[in-house]
Amino acid sequence: MSLLDLWLLGLEIEGYDGKTLELYHMTSENAANSIVSQQYMKPGSQGMFGPAVYFAETKEACQRKAKHKEVLLIAQVKVGKSLICREASYGLNDNIISDLGCHSVKGVGCVSSVEYAIYNSFQITQIKRVQTFPLYRQVSPRFEVTSDECRIQ
């Protein structure tokens, strides 16, 4: 598909063959152990841009979005040419992305921060754990309730 065809369809593409970024993914402790030891990430079965492995550009964005908030991973991700999506497209998959000449999806505007969907595990390398400290403290405040007010101690 030519750039003119993509433009006529209203599709945006950015990047280039081989473009690699350092991106973040958060998962459970068990999954992280397996991912790091095997250096392999299996795409999920569903998501905003179809079945893929999802990454964020920053640690903070990753912690806000992740389903499993136990272990933060960092990886070298060959995003290559990215199809820009400004709204959810649940029906996307590797075949559709490939037919458009793309290697990934970059979600912008439809999510709180930039998110990448990667459909092929071979695009993900050098997966490591990141030492983190919680961004959000899970400490419950103590409340003292009196007749008409509530005070935090």
Side-chain angles (χ1 to χ4, degrees), residues 19-118:
K19 178 180 179 182
T20 302
L21 299 174
E22 191 170 76
L23 299 173
Y24 297 92
H25 178 85
M26 192 164 249
T27 191
S28 69
E29 181 72 37
N30 287 340
N33 290 336
S34 176
I35 289 167
V36 171
S37 70
Q38 296 176 22
Q39 289 295 294
Y40 175 80
M41 296 181 88
K42 180 182 174 188
S45 59
Q46 59 187 359
M48 184 176 277
F49 307 115
V53 180
Y54 288 81
F55 289 91
E57 289 185 312
T58 68
K59 297 174 190 178
E60 295 79 12
C62 196
Q63 286 190 323
R64 280 193 310 273
K65 295 172 179 233
K67 291 180 190 176
H68 303 283
K69 299 181 186 255
E70 294 175 35
V71 179
L72 183 63
L73 301 175
I74 190 168
Q76 295 297 310
V77 183
K78 292 179 183 169
V79 296
K81 292 180 185 172
S82 298
L83 174 66
I84 305 298
C85 286
R86 298 187 185 280
E87 58 187 46
S89 250
Y90 297 97
L92 288 175
N93 61 44
D94 180 41
N95 293 332
I96 294 170
I97 297 304
S98 294
D99 287 348
L100 294 171
C102 294
H103 309 103
S104 63
V105 167
K106 181 179 181 181
V108 295
C110 56
V111 291
S112 59
S113 58
V114 174
E115 182 170 308
Y116 285 89
I118 306 300

